[in-house]
Amino acid sequence: MKKSDQYYLTTPIYYTNAAPHIGHAYTTIAADVIRRLKRMQGFDVILCSGTDEHGVNVERAAVAAGKTPLDYTNLISEEFRRQWEILDLKIDRFQRTTAPNHAEVVRDLFERCLKNGYVYKGHYSGQYCIYDNLYVNEAKEGDPCPECGRTTETVAEENYFFKLSAFQDRLLELYEKQPDFILPETRRNEVLAFVKQGLQDLSITRTSIKWGIPVPNDDKHVFYVWFDALSTYLSAVSGENRWPADLHLIGKEIVRFHAVYWPAFLMAAGLPLPKRIFAHGWLLFENDKMSKSRGNIVRATPIKTVLGTDALRYFLLREVVFGQDGSFSYDALVGRYNSDLANGLGNLASRTVAMIHQYRGGIVPASDGHQQVAQSAKELTGAALDAYAKFEFSKALESIWNLISTVDRMIVEHAPWKLAKSTDPVHVQAVSDTLYTAAEALRIVTALVSPVLPESAAKIWDQLGFDTSLDDARESDLHWGHLRAGQKLRDAYGVFPRAEVKPSIDQMKALEKEEYARQQTLLGKTVEAEAPKATDAPIAPLAPAISIDDFVKVDLRVGLVKAAAPLKGTDKLLHLQVDIGEAEPRSIVAGIALAYKPEELLGRKVVIVANLAPRKLRGVESQGMIVAASLEGGLPVLAAFLEDVPVGSRLK
RNA sequence: GCCGGCGUAGCUCAGGUGGUUAGAGCGACGGUCUCAUAAUCCGUAGGUCGUAGGUUCGAGUCCUACCGCCGGCACCA
């Protein structure tokens, strides 16, 4: 049985199709901060992270790199682990989906679900168009393909299905009873809307994939992504009595899997549910989504090298409202570093320690401190802890910096450097009061920021003369007056040296290039060979072989876009008029509105499937189809020619 | 198209149940101090609170419409 003082939290299980970047670091840093906060509250905390290593994408990437899937994922998994080490993130359990203990847990979960009647072997059977590689759900035997008009074939395929449909009510009840099961609220609303509109059973195995965990007693099948990956949260603590997790920290793109599928799997298996799911937002790069195709991915290690890990941690948690999207930029990073860390906390530590050395021989003087500051400290500490408890990191840090600024003001107001020249006992005590107040407030601030700035806080802690580890600090240590008179301070040294803006940005950018090159070399050609955004969506298997006669049936033509307009009522559809050399331009509806603006298509040459049977889309007849590369999870890219070609030419 | 969120100083954002001159931090500018990391501290400038109506004695705060942005769903064959 799990003990009440235990806290189990997880990061997502990162997919090993790409090397770690700042986005992975963001989640993991946040988890590390929560881990330290919970420890401060006295919990026995463990943090689990890991790598999700199965699936087609990994299989393909491995082949492309000339490696076996396992060799390949060994490499990337190790790269993730190394990354967390470099960033001083303590991962208590690092679980790989390729580990033997994990396979056992997955099979066990499956068998529990099976035994309880929530898994069935589905014979998907239905109409299938072999030409378009398309399942036509609504068609009956002998019906034509809506795409090409040719007769569909009846196919039957075996898959294991999970009866997700049986859990709609229970899930809604869960969300109702535990309103904070999914945070923030906006994500909860989305999940509610999704579940309320009805749930379909989920296919949880594949026969087309080999790189995965075989289904018990039926090893033609391999578990498909979510059944496999989500179980990691169980396998990371198998045999430890740690389950259920207190918190799954995730990115907003995987909310559905964690908030719908995962609880349903666990309900089906009769296992306890996680207590809470928190989805943070995305880290944008200067308002653009980071992506390989844009080439604007940032890695964490160059930032560590130039400004230190704490600078990165502070920036991410202070600048970004946790739960919302936030943007990263080098300017903002260095700005925050200088104004908040160097000029704020760093300078306060520096001046406080220096003055006590200078005016009191490095010994903390006896005093109760200024009561006004003590009062502010009490209030602001309370506010910060409240915010921390709600994962409102930016708010918590704001409160703490408020206290720093209060202390700075107090120091100027009492100007100890003036009174220190006097031997009047009243003045002597006044100086002591000011110095004690500054040191005690600094002590509290340091302990309070230590979950976010562990490395720097430890340095200040050391300068204040403590021998204990800040890791052992507890919330009760935050009360005013714990600093003892007579404590001997250590020498002062800079904790956050001020950064020159341009040189440090240049240096980070240079290191960023090196780091990118290093990762690329590590992974061989695979980094470049990858699709811009790889997801775990199934990759369509190669269509069946056709003869040249079959190919000739497809009439591809060069067309010129004469007109283009959005199709109202849709996000993705454009209505085009395309001249392919006929008397009238063709009316073609294409799902490319997210990738292309109508005006940039005008006058552009495109490739058209000219003999595709016409079909109405949203009430508009589409007399053909535009040929485009369809990237997984990405935007379509139109086929085009490098040389100019006449309108109407046929492609062979 | 449906559902939800947002639009407040150059930037990032606060502004329960409507009530005197709309706030903070950063940045800019001016000044001050010297314990300190050319830091601190004090002060100044800057906002028709997306637009247009409406309710009200009174609206950034409520209502309606519209515009723009962001999510989710639908849609994308």
Side-chain angles (χ1 to χ4, degrees), chain A residues 392-619:
Chain A
E392 294 172 347
F393 301 112
S394 55
K395 218 184 240 183
L397 292 168
E398 210 178 316
S399 290
I400 299 171
W401 257 254
N402 222 319
L403 178 54
I404 290 175
S405 144
T406 301
V407 179
D408 270 332
R409 253 177 284 138
M410 182 279 296
I411 293 174
V412 170
E413 193 186 327
H414 293 89
W417 46 89
K418 284 181 184 160
L419 298 181
K421 292 167 188 159
S422 160
T423 53
D424 179 341
V426 174
H427 290 164
V428 171
Q429 185 55 43
V431 170
S432 292
D433 288 343
T434 301
L435 296 184
Y436 181 88
T437 305
E440 173 59 350
L442 178 62
R443 182 190 69 84
I444 291 169
V445 164
T446 303
L448 207 46
V449 293
S450 65
V452 179
L453 306 173
E455 194 184 321
S456 323
K459 288 180 186 168
I460 299 173
W461 201 244
D462 174 63
Q463 292 179 41
L464 282 172
F466 291 103
D467 295 313
T468 54
S469 165
L470 253 187
D471 289 346
D472 298 325
R474 294 292 175 266
E475 283 190 358
S476 57
D477 297 326
L478 298 171
H479 298 309
W480 187 267
H482 282 211
L483 181 63
R484 292 188 335 271
Q487 174 149 312
K488 178 98 178 76
L489 268 52
R490 301 200 175 84
D491 288 344
Y493 56 92
V495 178
F496 300 107
R498 204 181 153 75
E500 293 292 324
V501 178
K502 184 146 191 323
S504 44
I505 290 178
D506 288 346
Q507 196 188 350
M508 280 188 279
K509 285 184 175 167
L511 288 169
E512 169 58 35
K513 279 196 186 117
E514 281 175 31
E515 177 66 0
Y516 173 69
R518 189 191 64 79
Q519 286 186 346
Q520 217 178 7
T521 311
L522 179 79
L523 303 181
K525 294 178 290 187
T526 56
V527 169
E528 295 215 302
E530 270 169 35
K533 182 182 177 240
T535 67
D536 224 317
I539 299 216
L542 209 56
I546 58 168
S547 70
I548 183 75
D549 298 332
D550 287 327
F551 175 70
V552 168
K553 291 177 188 165
V554 182
D555 196 332
L556 296 169
R557 298 290 175 138
V558 175
L560 179 69
V561 180
K562 306 290 271 188
L567 195 58
K568 65 176 174 182
T570 68
D571 285 344
K572 298 189 181 175
L573 301 182
L574 289 186
H575 186 195
L576 310 176
Q577 300 295 328
V578 182
D579 177 7
I580 58 169
E582 297 168 328
E584 292 289 320
R586 295 274 188 114
S587 159
I588 292 180
V589 178
I592 55 172
L594 295 180
Y596 296 92
K597 290 182 193 147
E599 55 270 25
E600 61 191 3
L601 289 172
L602 288 179
R604 183 161 169 164
K605 296 226 168 106
V606 292
V607 177
I608 300 297
V609 183
N611 62 338
L612 194 62
R615 191 188 175 190
K616 274 197 171 182
L617 286 171
R618 288 258 157 182

Side-chain angles (χ1 to χ4, degrees), chain A residues 222-285:
Chain A
V222 145
F223 286 105
Y224 182 57
V225 54
W226 293 108
F227 214 83
D228 178 350
L230 289 164
S231 303
T232 311
Y233 301 134
L234 289 173
S235 54
V237 293
S238 53
E240 286 193 68
N241 295 327
R242 282 281 185 164
W243 188 258
D246 295 275
L247 175 66
H248 289 314
L249 189 61
I250 60 171
K252 67 180 185 181
E253 71 282 3
I254 49 178
V255 167
R256 185 186 304 169
F257 309 109
H258 286 77
V260 182
Y261 299 175
W262 182 226
F265 292 164
L266 291 166
M267 284 172 183
L271 294 170
L273 270 40
K275 299 277 204 309
R276 179 170 297 173
I277 290 156
F278 190 104
H280 68 247
W282 284 340
L283 209 52
L284 311 173
F285 184 81

Side-chain angles (χ1 to χ4, degrees), chain A residues 84-366:
Chain A
W84 307 148
E85 248 175 60
I86 293 174
L87 296 176
D88 298 314
L89 303 174
K90 181 147 188 328
I91 307 299
D92 301 289
R93 305 285 183 280
F94 189 91
Q95 179 67 47
R96 302 181 55 179
T97 57
T98 47
N101 71 312
H102 179 67
E104 270 176 48
V105 168
V106 174
R107 290 200 195 98
D108 179 60
L109 182 70
F110 174 79
E111 278 173 339
R112 281 164 176 269
C113 293
L114 189 66
K115 196 183 80 196
N116 293 338
Y118 292 112
V119 165
Y120 60 95
K121 198 173 202 173
H123 286 272
Y124 172 87
S125 120
Q127 299 311 113
Y128 179 78
C129 172
I130 59 167
Y131 302 101
D132 295 315
N133 188 34
L134 172 71
Y135 292 95
V136 190
N137 290 321
E138 68 277 13
K140 290 184 286 290
E141 198 168 337
D143 276 1
C145 170
E147 186 65 6
C148 62
R150 285 173 285 208
T151 309
T152 54
E153 295 184 2
T154 305
V155 294
E157 193 178 302
E158 230 182 41
N159 262 328
Y160 285 93
F161 282 83
F162 176 79
K163 266 192 198 167
L164 186 62
S165 56
F167 291 89
Q168 181 172 8
D169 292 343
R170 268 187 275 179
L171 286 168
L172 290 173
E173 193 188 326
L174 166 69
Y175 309 143
E176 195 61 41
K177 281 193 177 156
Q178 284 177 247
D180 55 358
F181 179 70
I182 310 158
L183 292 174
E185 204 180 339
T186 163
R187 303 273 92 91
R188 176 176 182 266
N189 292 341
E190 287 171 11
V191 169
L192 275 175
F194 175 76
V195 174
K196 275 181 183 160
Q197 80 178 15
L199 297 170
Q200 297 201 321
D201 290 353
L202 214 61
S203 156
I204 54 168
T205 66
R206 286 289 183 279
T207 51
S208 55
I209 305 172
K210 288 187 189 60
W211 180 234
I213 296 171
V215 171
N217 307 317
D218 199 350
D219 58 15
K220 284 201 310 287
H221 296 264
V222 145
F223 286 105
Y224 182 57
V225 54
W226 293 108
F227 214 83
D228 178 350
L230 289 164
S231 303
T232 311
Y233 301 134
L234 289 173
S235 54
V237 293
S238 53
E240 286 193 68
N241 295 327
R242 282 281 185 164
W243 188 258
D246 295 275
L247 175 66
H248 289 314
L249 189 61
I250 60 171
K252 67 180 185 181
E253 71 282 3
I254 49 178
V255 167
R256 185 186 304 169
F257 309 109
H258 286 77
V260 182
Y261 299 175
W262 182 226
F265 292 164
L266 291 166
M267 284 172 183
L271 294 170
L273 270 40
K275 299 277 204 309
R276 179 170 297 173
I277 290 156
F278 190 104
H280 68 247
W282 284 340
L283 209 52
L284 311 173
F285 184 81
E286 291 168 359
N287 296 324
D288 279 333
K289 200 175 158 185
M290 287 193 198
S291 74
K292 271 179 215 131
S293 55
R294 288 198 170 114
N296 62 358
I297 293 185
V298 173
R299 269 142 283 255
T301 45
I303 296 167
K304 174 196 161 125
T305 307
V306 178
L307 297 177
T309 18
D310 283 358
L312 176 61
R313 294 169 71 102
Y314 180 78
F315 175 83
L316 293 176
L317 294 173
R318 173 63 242 259
E319 186 83 6
V320 180
V321 176
F322 202 58
Q324 296 179 17
D325 289 353
S327 79
F328 174 88
S329 77
Y330 287 109
D331 278 340
L333 171 69
V334 178
R336 278 286 177 197
Y337 176 84
N338 278 333
S339 71
D340 294 6
L341 295 178
N343 299 351
L345 178 56
N347 183 56
L348 177 63
S350 172
R351 71 197 307 201
T352 301
V353 175
M355 279 193 287
I356 292 176
H357 275 293
Q358 202 164 322
Y359 303 132
R360 288 295 180 271
I363 308 287
V364 175

